[in-house]
Amino acid sequence: MEKDITIYDIARELNLSPTTISRALNDHPAVNKKTKQRISDAAAQMGYRSNFFASNLRKQHTNTIGLIVPRLDSPFHSAVISGIEKVLNEEGYNLIISQSLETFQKEKSNAKTMFDSRVDGLLVSLSFETEDLQHFEPFINRGIPVVFYDRVAEHRNCTNIVIDNLQAAHKATSHLIEQGCTNIVHITGNLKRNVYADRLKGFKYALLDHGLPFSEDQVILGEMTEAAGQKAASQILAMSPRPDGIFVSNDTCAVSCIKALKQAGLSVPQDIAVIGFNNDAISRVIEPNLTTITNPGQEMGEVAVKVLLLQINGTGERIPGNTINLRSELIVRESSLKSKAKSKKKSVLA
Amino acid sequence: MEKDITIYDIARELNLSPTTISRALNDHPAVNKKTKQRISDAAAQMGYRSNFFASNLRKQHTNTIGLIVPRLDSPFHSAVISGIEKVLNEEGYNLIISQSLETFQKEKSNAKTMFDSRVDGLLVSLSFETEDLQHFEPFINRGIPVVFYDRVAEHRNCTNIVIDNLQAAHKATSHLIEQGCTNIVHITGNLKRNVYADRLKGFKYALLDHGLPFSEDQVILGEMTEAAGQKAASQILAMSPRPDGIFVSNDTCAVSCIKALKQAGLSVPQDIAVIGFNNDAISRVIEPNLTTITNPGQEMGEVAVKVLLLQINGTGERIPGNTINLRSELIVRESSLKSKAKSKKKSVLA
DNA sequence: TTGTATGCGTTATCAT
DNA sequence: ATGATAACGCATACAA
């Protein structure tokens, strides 16, 4: 349990002032190259490590950015975090993470913790239940940039990173219609969240654009979990006439729905075509493979953090109320392919 | 951009000394109850927030713990992190995370960052390539506790949190043998890592215990990725005589292997029975559903961090070189059930 | 190019 | 029960 060595120790060792040591270690231009070298050698040799806390205390910033995420154990958010961590690590920033577990309450308390931790910037994907953005005001008021991604909300000064959910949903729904579906159900999440509200809009507009009727009965709202998918399936099975297509707002839910449907003796896509969302690994495992929409988590994380860093090191540019759209596309697999589907024997057996 | 308010501001406001404010805010017993109340009211009213950095600088600890994990985008590690975050959040600790991406190099650099960040404790699951534990010595030497989980290594002073991989593998292999398999292949990862080495041992011992021969040809080493599963499948298809059972060290790999096998016209479990590892969601989606072994990620995370916290707040107990075993069990599903498998028509169609 | 002096906000020590 | 003072390690304004 040795003692930490400080710039004072190095200064004494080299007969220099602590100031010079500090400057050299921070690569200040006004330090002699040779002195700089001597100092960095000595520092390395003596096992010096900078004290973040003293430095932060002095500089009034933390080199830490905060992330509030609905849940950690989701393939999409894992990918996002992976992207964030990658960039941040290269830039020498630290990341602190907390999960809201989809509750407003927890999200508020997380925000408070982040604020008290004096993060230099905040990355947020909103919980299902979040009602307003009050809890982020302290950041805004102090000029601490906040960037929302995926589950976003409009706020002056905050940038949003998203995909075009409306368009994606429109594409998915249109695809179902082109496959011959005329009675389509949409399973989605809490409409407070843009992602679900926008997908519902895209769903509606697509029906409209193809001259199909829309009624509220065609929308099933839920938690988008495995259990929710099962429950939705049984609701769908009870509908009459039975729907011939389903557009689900995530793959987890779509997959469990398909499982339940198959168990009930239906065949996908012949009896019901299904489309999911996110392009999780699971979508390539379910049989039939799931048609879905890509949601570039890793890229979204990278972009979000880059935008945040840009604002932190603000070279003036503010980008207020701006939204950045990332590309996403429909990946067509068997679960929606009514036309090309060979009349498999499986359908008979079920 | 208002100015931060400090204990001095509160002190001035209430005509007290900063010392008393500090004590009150830290719930020091030697402060009058009523004064305490006045102070905490004033603090709340004035919007005071403690400055971690000043406090840390003074107290010489950070209330932050570090986590080094092979990859963030894995269901198992997501679950672990979820567990860790949950406990830490309750205890008022911060978590900083970095991923080694399975390389020794990156793990070393991560460790250095963590050390420079002056984490109060470190949680680690080793990368594939890690050769030694040198990079953790600085922590040990400074009395900073390090806890390994899942991918662990023996080290004086460090606690390991694991499941009994040997026993689990033994159970899995025995199950295959009981199902009538006599020519079993084991697909696993880098044997530097305990998890893979122990599973291989369990595999061997099970064969031995049932009087079956073992040869090195029965072991396929790989990255345990989706691609690795495919590759392993083609190797298996080229073997003669063809194996009738496979025990795979993770579900991702097992699933892609099954997919390839099916594509080649084989039926699982009739032609080849398969068992995976981890009980990821994907194991309940693949057809046939995958027999697998539970690996309690969330619990492992919780236990690991609790042990770490115990050592940090060291009430004397050291638990050096100790290992904590968590329960895990075999979950039997269709992919290994040769005996009960109805001769499905699917087998004929393939 | 280098050095001196000071303050960042807290907490520990030692008084009262 | 409360207060005065110093110290944690660093970075900057100012001086030389």
Side-chain angles (χ1 to χ4, degrees):
Chain A
M1 194 87 111
E2 317 120 33
K3 209 183 152 302
D4 265 314
I5 83 128
T6 75
I7 53 173
Y8 285 93
D9 299 321
I10 305 182
R12 204 177 315 115
E13 190 75 12
L14 299 183
N15 266 313
L16 286 166
S17 81
T19 312
T20 304
I21 310 297
S22 172
R23 287 209 263 252
L25 260 19
N26 288 302
D27 206 26
H28 188 109
V31 175
N32 189 310
K33 273 241 170 88
K34 285 180 66 178
T35 333
K36 225 179 244 178
Q37 190 57 52
R38 273 178 64 217
I39 293 177
S40 92
D41 287 350
Q45 193 268 312
M46 297 171 73
Y48 167 81
R49 52 176 183 161
S50 161
N51 186 320
F52 278 21
F53 308 98
S55 175
N56 290 338
L57 175 58
R58 182 60 230 244
K59 290 192 304 194
Q60 300 288 35
H61 68 242
T62 62
N63 251 266
T64 297
I65 87 115
L67 170 66
I68 302 179
V69 80
R71 354 188 32 101
L72 255 12
D73 53 356
S74 120
F76 172 70
H77 288 290
S78 293
V80 171
I81 295 175
S82 175
I84 293 174
E85 197 275 333
K86 189 170 148 243
V87 176
L88 244 33
N89 197 37
E90 287 166 3
E91 302 284 337
Y93 275 78
N94 274 142
L95 176 66
I96 65 184
I97 301 179
S98 68
Q99 42 187 347
S100 64
L101 300 174
E102 303 289 9
T103 75
F104 190 19
Q105 197 50 51
K106 195 108 193 328
E107 186 177 292
K108 283 196 272 195
S109 108
N110 289 341
K112 185 171 167 8
T113 305
M114 293 293 179
F115 188 63
D116 290 345
S117 297
R118 283 173 162 74
V119 294
D120 291 341
L122 189 64
L123 253 21
V124 183
S125 188
L126 296 168
S127 85
F128 273 166
E129 299 178 3
T130 301
E131 298 280 355
D132 58 61
L133 265 34
Q134 283 297 324
H135 48 311
F136 300 120
E137 287 302 325
F139 296 89
I140 314 293
N141 291 339
R142 272 218 162 62
I144 301 167
V146 177
V147 168
F148 296 102
Y149 70 86
D150 193 56
R151 308 232 204 120
V152 305
E154 288 306 323
H155 190 292
R156 58 189 164 79
N157 295 325
C158 295
T159 308
N160 289 341
I161 320 291
V162 290
I163 56 171
D164 189 335
N165 287 285
L166 194 155
Q167 191 192 61
H170 192 289
K171 256 194 258 176
T173 311
S174 298
H175 170 72
L176 285 175
I177 296 170
E178 282 154 17
Q179 292 297 310
C181 297
T182 55
N183 181 11
I184 308 172
V185 165
H186 181 35
I187 303 176
T188 196
N190 195 318
L191 297 179
K192 280 177 203 149
R193 295 287 71 81
N194 64 303
V195 287
Y196 304 121
D198 289 353
R199 288 171 200 172
L200 176 54
K201 271 189 212 147
F203 174 69
K204 277 188 196 173
Y205 293 164
L207 295 181
L208 197 69
D209 291 347
H210 288 83
L212 289 178
F214 168 79
S215 95
E216 296 295 342
D217 306 343
Q218 287 169 262
V219 181
I220 299 177
L221 261 33
E223 306 283 283
M224 305 311 291
T225 56
E226 214 176 314
Q230 261 179 302
K231 194 177 150 211
S234 58
Q235 289 180 56
I236 287 168
L237 287 166
M239 289 180 179
S240 145
R242 201 176 58 208
D244 53 9
I246 315 178
F247 170 42
V248 191
S249 255
N250 82 27
D251 286 348
T252 305
C253 194
V255 162
S256 72
C257 187
I258 290 180
K259 281 173 67 179
L261 255 22
K262 284 170 71 177
Q263 207 147 20
L266 295 194
S267 78
V268 177
Q270 290 84 348
D271 297 325
I272 305 193
V274 180
I275 298 186
F277 210 110
N278 279 354
N279 193 28
D280 291 341
I282 214 175
S283 66
R284 293 185 304 276
V285 173
I286 184 75
E287 291 188 17
N289 277 198
L290 183 63
T291 294
T292 188
I293 288 159
T294 59
N295 201 357
Q298 174 109 8
E299 185 191 358
M300 196 173 278
E302 290 180 21
V303 171
V305 75
K306 277 176 186 164
V307 167
L308 190 71
L309 255 25
L310 224 57
Q311 300 192 3
I312 289 174
N313 307 318
T315 15
E317 25 196 342
R318 209 51 329 220
I319 336 178
N322 206 352
T323 292
I324 296 181
N325 262 277
L326 264 33
R327 202 172 307 282
S328 93
E329 55 187 26
L330 181 70
I331 298 189
V332 177
R333 301 204 185 96
E334 299 96 71
S335 75
S336 65
L337 246 27
K338 271 190 204 269
S339 44
K340 294 182 198 163
K342 327 113 195 175
S343 64
K344 296 195 202 167
K345 286 85 190 170
K346 264 166 88 184
S347 168
V348 179
L349 303 174
Chain B
M1 195 88 112
E2 316 121 34
K3 211 188 151 299
D4 264 316
I5 84 128
T6 74
I7 55 173
Y8 283 93
D9 299 320
I10 304 181
R12 203 177 316 115
E13 188 75 13
L14 299 184
N15 266 312
L16 286 166
S17 80
T19 311
T20 305
I21 310 298
S22 173
R23 286 207 264 251
L25 261 18
N26 288 302
D27 207 28
H28 189 109
V31 176
N32 189 310
K33 271 241 171 86
K34 284 178 68 178
T35 332
K36 225 179 243 179
Q37 189 59 50
R38 273 177 63 217
I39 292 176
S40 90
D41 287 349
Q45 193 267 313
M46 297 171 71
Y48 166 82
R49 53 175 182 160
S50 161
N51 187 319
F52 276 24
F53 308 98
S55 173
N56 289 338
L57 175 58
R58 186 58 235 236
K59 291 192 303 194
Q60 300 288 35
H61 67 244
T62 62
N63 252 264
T64 296
I65 87 113
L67 171 66
I68 301 178
V69 78
R71 353 189 32 102
L72 253 14
D73 53 355
S74 120
F76 173 69
H77 285 106
S78 292
V80 171
I81 295 174
S82 175
I84 292 173
E85 197 277 333
K86 190 171 148 242
V87 175
L88 243 32
N89 198 35
E90 287 167 2
E91 302 282 338
Y93 275 79
N94 274 143
L95 177 65
I96 66 186
I97 301 178
S98 69
Q99 40 187 347
S100 64
L101 300 174
E102 303 288 12
T103 75
F104 189 20
Q105 198 49 51
K106 194 108 193 334
E107 185 177 292
K108 283 195 270 194
S109 111
N110 289 340
K112 182 169 168 12
T113 305
M114 294 293 180
F115 187 63
D116 290 345
S117 296
R118 285 172 158 75
V119 295
D120 291 340
L122 189 64
L123 254 21
V124 183
S125 187
L126 296 168
S127 85
F128 272 168
E129 300 178 1
T130 302
E131 298 281 356
D132 59 61
L133 267 30
Q134 283 297 325
H135 48 312
F136 300 120
E137 287 302 324
F139 295 89
I140 314 295
N141 291 339
R142 272 219 163 59
I144 301 168
V146 176
V147 169
F148 296 102
Y149 70 86
D150 193 54
R151 308 232 205 117
V152 305
E154 289 308 323
H155 189 293
R156 58 188 165 82
N157 294 324
C158 295
T159 308
N160 288 341
I161 320 291
V162 290
I163 58 172
D164 189 333
N165 286 285
L166 194 157
Q167 191 192 59
H170 192 288
K171 255 194 258 178
T173 311
S174 298
H175 169 71
L176 284 175
I177 297 169
E178 282 154 17
Q179 292 296 311
C181 297
T182 54
N183 181 9
I184 307 173
V185 165
H186 180 36
I187 304 176
T188 196
N190 195 317
L191 297 178
K192 281 177 202 148
R193 294 288 71 81
N194 65 303
V195 287
Y196 304 120
D198 288 353
R199 287 170 201 172
L200 176 54
K201 269 189 215 149
F203 173 70
K204 279 188 195 172
Y205 293 165
L207 294 181
L208 197 70
D209 291 348
H210 289 82
L212 289 177
F214 167 80
S215 95
E216 296 294 343
D217 308 342
Q218 288 170 262
V219 181
I220 299 178
L221 260 34
E223 304 284 282
M224 304 313 288
T225 58
E226 216 177 312
Q230 261 180 301
K231 192 177 150 210
S234 58
Q235 290 181 55
I236 287 169
L237 286 166
M239 290 179 177
S240 146
R242 200 174 59 209
D244 53 7
I246 315 177
F247 169 42
V248 191
S249 254
N250 81 28
D251 286 348
T252 304
C253 194
V255 162
S256 72
C257 188
I258 290 181
K259 280 173 67 179
L261 255 21
K262 284 169 72 176
Q263 208 147 18
L266 295 195
S267 78
V268 177
Q270 290 82 351
D271 297 325
I272 304 193
V274 180
I275 298 187
F277 210 110
N278 279 356
N279 193 27
D280 291 341
I282 214 175
S283 67
R284 293 185 303 276
V285 173
I286 184 75
E287 290 187 16
N289 278 198
L290 184 63
T291 294
T292 188
I293 287 158
T294 59
N295 201 356
Q298 174 107 12
E299 185 191 359
M300 196 173 279
E302 290 180 21
V303 170
V305 75
K306 278 177 187 164
V307 168
L308 190 72
L309 255 24
L310 225 58
Q311 299 192 3
I312 290 174
N313 308 318
T315 14
E317 25 196 340
R318 216 35 348 210
I319 337 177
N322 204 352
T323 293
I324 297 181
N325 261 278
L326 265 32
R327 200 170 311 281
S328 93
E329 56 188 25
L330 181 70
I331 299 190
V332 177
R333 301 206 184 96
E334 298 96 70
S335 74
S336 66
L337 246 28
K338 273 193 203 263
S339 44
K340 292 182 197 161
K342 326 115 195 172
S343 64
K344 295 195 204 166
K345 284 84 190 172
K346 264 166 84 184
S347 167
V348 180
L349 302 175

